[in-house]
Amino acid sequence: MEVVVASSSVDAGIGCWDLHTGAEQLRHKSCSSPPHGLISVGGRFLASSHLSPLSSGGSVLFWSWSKPQVGVRCFPAETIKPLSANHPGTYIAGGGVSGDIYLWEVETGRLLKKWNAHYRAVTCLVFSEDDSLLISGSEDGSVRVWSLFMIFDDLRSQEATHLYEHSFTGHALRVTDVVIGYGGSNAIIVSASEDRTCKVWSLSTGALLRNIVFPAIIDAIVLDPAEHVFYAGSRDGKIFIVALHTESLVTSNDGMHIVGSFSNHSKSVTCLAYGISGNLLISGSEDGMIRVWNARTHNIVRMFKYAKGPVSNICVVRPEIDSTSHILQSSSRKQGSDLPPPLEKYANSVEDSDAKTPIVLCGAKRCAKVSYLSSHAISSHVKELQRHGSAAASELEMEKLKDDYQKSMQMVNQWKKMYENLHQFCVKELLDGGQASVSDENNK
């Protein structure tokens, strides 16, 4: 089942609808999340940044699929607005109003890393397809690409002049949205800004491939799965269609590469998403309506009435409802919750950090859900750590050597047993053969 999940910047809760039937699911209460502040964590639960209407502070909330109330409340060191989770749901990244980025481990809630990413508040975050990169946009107008290999490698981080892989500074005003395509290192990045432009960047070279100027500010963008076009939601209520595969390169002419538009929203389009299956485009607006479009014909398939407030976030999820599959070692588990523990406010001390590693291994007493352990990014991370000889990598290598030694000893014991059996067989055959020869001679 595909579920459309939506939230608002006012305290209107989280709405859930079945994308293909239109049936409303459970509505979660008391949530006020800014743009890019609502995510699904591996399909297992929802997380949202929450701005308190009574104070200037904020929190991060966890929501179970089966309960309308907040399951876990987290209180980071500063107000977090944008959130992002890697595809398996092992890490959560949050962007602070100070310009810092925080990276937490989901299973334990540990704050693994925190670094200064931008001069002003972080506005949007997104993980790459293979989860090795984190792309951030900011109020300072820049878009930066962060390699998690670099972030976790203390030696390289200290030697490098900067932590980011690329810093795109072409926007004149606040970045409103960022998306990344498929293709690994050859992927494209599309960014939108309040300067009324969307820019297409090359991840491999860091070059600006295309500059598209719009008649209105763009607050939301989404790539079509084939990456032939991308859709841009504007503050005049229109959804623009922009061609990606055209011969013209960088240009600043109005309307260049914009191949069409459609609209039925009476107010600003604030968020866009694409259905996991089917050629469906979902849009949310300040008019409080969520519309599902046939992306080929641009006809409305169905509409959801969110609430009195504006829609600020939309995501399409295939939720994992079966909470019995969750094996999370946490204090909240004792209370019958299937949610992980709260996110830590501060990082552990250096000694604790050296003693622990963000790589979760199955032990004799507990083993996390397999999907927590099967990320390609984690495997790549381990290889990278091994290459640079860190303490964590040495420990992992030692465990690997111990495991190889045990397997080798098992193999040696098997060969010994086979040799002993063969030796006994040969000796028996020789003895039986000798006795038979003696008896034959006596008979003669």
Side-chain angles (χ1 to χ4, degrees), residues 342-358:
L343 304 177
E344 286 183 351
K345 190 170 186 176
Y346 302 107
N348 292 321
S349 64
V350 176
E351 292 78 10
D352 290 339
S353 298
D354 290 338
K356 298 178 182 179
T357 166

Side-chain angles (χ1 to χ4, degrees), residues 292-343:
V292 181
W293 309 81
N294 183 309
R296 183 178 61 84
T297 64
H298 307 152
N299 293 327
I300 296 177
V301 177
R302 58 182 52 89
M303 294 192 299
F304 306 128
K305 176 64 176 177
Y306 170 65
K308 295 180 180 179
V311 179
S312 61
N313 293 288
I314 283 179
C315 55
V316 181
V317 190
R318 281 180 176 161
E320 293 185 5
I321 306 298
D322 184 11
S323 62
T324 60
S325 63
H326 296 264
I327 313 176
L328 299 177
Q329 192 77 13
S330 67
S331 58
S332 61
R333 182 69 176 167
K334 296 177 181 179
Q335 301 173 3
S337 172
D338 57 352
L339 297 174
L343 304 177

Side-chain angles (χ1 to χ4, degrees), residues 218-232:
I218 301 299
D219 283 319
I221 50 178
V222 66
L223 282 169
D224 120 82
E227 296 187 19
H228 294 306
V229 300
F230 72 87
Y231 299 91

Side-chain angles (χ1 to χ4, degrees), residues 359-395:
I359 311 302
V360 182
L361 300 176
C362 287
K365 295 184 179 180
R366 67 180 182 94
C367 179
K369 194 174 190 285
V370 174
S371 58
Y372 274 114
L373 314 175
S374 60
S375 169
H376 295 296
I378 291 181
S379 300
S380 301
H381 184 197
V382 172
K383 292 179 182 178
E384 190 72 8
L385 287 172
Q386 290 172 341
R387 188 178 304 151
H388 293 280
S390 66
S394 300
E395 185 178 346

Side-chain angles (χ1 to χ4, degrees), residues 50-208:
H50 175 72
L51 302 182
S52 174
L54 302 177
S55 65
S56 58
S59 57
V60 176
L61 310 178
F62 291 168
W63 310 80
S64 169
W65 289 109
S66 58
K67 297 179 181 178
Q69 298 83 10
V70 176
V72 175
R73 294 181 184 270
C74 316
F75 298 94
E78 64 171 309
T79 299
I80 300 294
K81 288 188 176 181
L83 291 172
S84 185
N86 65 340
H87 294 81
T90 52
Y91 300 134
I92 289 179
V97 294
S98 67
D100 290 346
I101 292 179
Y102 299 76
L103 189 67
W104 290 277
E105 184 183 43
V106 172
E107 186 197 12
T108 62
R110 290 177 55 216
L111 177 58
L112 302 177
K113 287 291 178 179
K114 169 197 155 185
W115 68 96
N116 184 252
H118 294 275
Y119 300 112
R120 298 184 64 184
V122 181
T123 56
C124 41
L125 288 171
V126 63
F127 277 92
S128 62
E129 176 193 4
D130 64 355
D131 295 324
S132 65
L133 301 174
L134 183 65
I135 298 90
S136 62
S138 171
E139 287 184 357
D140 61 19
S142 66
V143 175
R144 287 180 171 173
V145 180
W146 310 92
S147 169
L148 296 187
F149 301 149
M150 171 70 83
I151 296 298
F152 278 106
D153 194 321
D154 294 334
L155 180 61
R156 289 177 62 192
S157 299
Q158 293 172 3
E159 294 177 348
T161 56
H162 52 74
L163 293 178
Y164 53 78
E165 296 292 314
H166 297 293
S167 181
F168 305 131
T169 56
H171 289 296
L173 295 174
R174 173 180 177 269
V175 176
T176 55
D177 202 359
V178 171
V179 294
I180 183 170
Y182 299 101
S185 61
N186 294 316
I188 60 169
I189 294 173
V190 184
S191 58
S193 169
E194 289 184 342
D195 62 8
R196 296 193 302 119
T197 69
C198 284
K199 299 182 186 295
V200 183
W201 312 88
S202 168
L203 180 58
S204 59
T205 65
L208 176 63

Side-chain angles (χ1 to χ4, degrees), residues 248-274:
S248 300
L249 295 180
V250 179
T251 177
S252 59
N253 296 327
D254 287 354
M256 184 63 70
H257 309 299
I258 300 176
V259 296
S261 67
F262 52 97
S263 176
N264 196 265
H265 289 289
S266 60
K267 294 184 179 180
S268 172
V269 177
T270 56
C271 44
L272 293 171
Y274 226 95

